[in-house]
Amino acid sequence: RKEVEQDPGPFNVPEGATVAFNCTYSNSASQSFFWYRQDCRKEPKLLMSVYSSGNEDGRFTAQLNRASQYISLLIRDSKLSDSATYLCVVNGGTSYGKLTFGQGTILTVHP
Amino acid sequence: DTEVTQTPKHLVMGMTNKKSLKCEQHMGHRAMYWYKQKAKKPPELMFVYSYEKLSINESVPSRFSPECPNSSLLNLHLHALQPEDSALYLCASSQVSGTGVGYTFGSGTRLTVV
């Protein structure tokens, strides 16, 4: 079983749509959780950290369920500029100090 | 300054060449990382430096040799690489290894081994 699993998609949605991505992680000792965004041929950029209490940043909402070892990202009112690969990332667990990336979910927002 | 700067941006090298990738940050971060990313794959950790000391080596072949001369610089020395080593090499830094703070990535060096 992979340490971090994501549905690779692709997700193709129209502008204005709401889209949700899910991610599961295998190691219950994992300590920190993030969503990164990566544009084609660019470096990953931190989108937001994920907390058990849930956190929101504008159109983006992230949620962590430690009991189910499940992380989610919700994007509301999708924009064309949201088209990217979204990476679920977990820190700690099997190797302290190591970021483990999911395979990424490809999102394409079309007019 | 909230950037991680990597040079060169592109590198083509032969299998007998020796080259170095460089990474620099001035955010006062004390943990620095090398990741390797193949096309359509997620980044994979290679090395972690914490307080200028190597703390994690993910069983990387010895043809890759990391070096951390000081708290702001991280190098990756390359020697006798294979074509399958062609990839995007990403440097990242964070305040301290293992904290809950996200890492900042450089824009990467796109390496082609011919």
Side-chain angles (χ1 to χ4, degrees):
Chain A
R1 183 183 172 187
K2 292 180 182 176
E3 285 191 59
V4 181
E5 293 205 59
Q6 290 181 253
D7 178 352
F11 286 65
N12 294 296
V13 303
E15 277 186 287
T18 296
V19 60
F21 305 141
N22 303 318
C23 168
T24 57
Y25 60 96
S26 61
N27 195 312
S28 59
S30 298
Q31 301 175 357
S32 307
F33 310 89
F34 310 93
W35 284 101
Y36 275 76
R37 169 196 170 126
Q38 187 169 26
D39 293 290
C40 187
R41 300 181 69 83
K42 299 283 189 181
E43 76 275 20
K45 292 188 177 179
L46 179 64
L47 182 64
M48 57 200 307
S49 301
V50 189
Y51 306 110
S52 297
S53 55
N55 48 304
E56 187 174 311
D57 183 1
R59 300 182 291 109
F60 298 84
T61 301
Q63 191 77 48
L64 165 66
N65 184 321
R66 283 189 183 272
S68 302
Q69 295 179 204
Y70 171 94
I71 305 161
S72 65
L73 177 68
L74 182 75
I75 305 175
R76 292 180 298 277
D77 189 22
S78 299
K79 310 291 185 191
L80 296 176
S81 57
D82 293 334
S83 298
T85 297
Y86 289 83
L87 297 158
C88 176
V89 184
V90 175
N91 186 357
T94 55
S95 182
Y96 188 71
K98 173 182 174 180
L99 280 186
T100 302
F101 288 77
Q103 287 292 107
T105 299
I106 299 171
L107 171 66
T108 301
V109 181
H110 57 82
Chain B
D1 188 354
T2 57
E3 284 188 348
V4 175
T5 303
Q6 287 188 246
T7 56
K9 293 195 181 304
H10 301 274
L11 178 63
V12 179
M13 62 183 290
M15 289 187 283
T16 58
N17 290 160
K18 285 185 180 180
K19 296 286 185 183
S20 296
L21 308 185
K22 297 186 183 301
C23 175
E24 187 169 3
Q25 57 89 13
H26 294 289
M27 294 180 279
H29 289 174
R30 300 309 297 273
M32 297 185 76
Y33 313 82
W34 282 113
Y35 280 81
K36 174 182 177 179
Q37 187 174 25
K38 302 281 278 184
K40 300 187 187 299
K41 297 288 187 182
E44 294 181 351
L45 182 68
M46 300 175 72
F47 303 103
V48 178
Y49 273 83
S50 182
Y51 293 93
E52 295 87 69
K53 295 195 186 307
L54 184 65
S55 60
I56 297 177
N57 176 341
E58 290 285 286
S59 302
V60 179
S62 60
R63 58 186 184 269
F64 295 91
S65 175
E67 177 196 19
C68 190
N70 59 55
S71 60
S72 300
L73 294 174
L74 184 66
N75 299 322
L76 185 63
H77 303 298
L78 315 173
H79 174 53
L81 294 194
Q82 303 298 309
E84 59 265 29
D85 295 322
S86 299
L88 179 67
Y89 288 84
L90 293 161
C91 175
S93 70
S94 67
Q95 289 177 341
V96 174
S97 175
T99 65
V101 179
Y103 298 7
T104 301
F105 283 87
S107 56
T109 293
R110 196 161 296 279
L111 174 67
T112 303
V113 181
V114 297

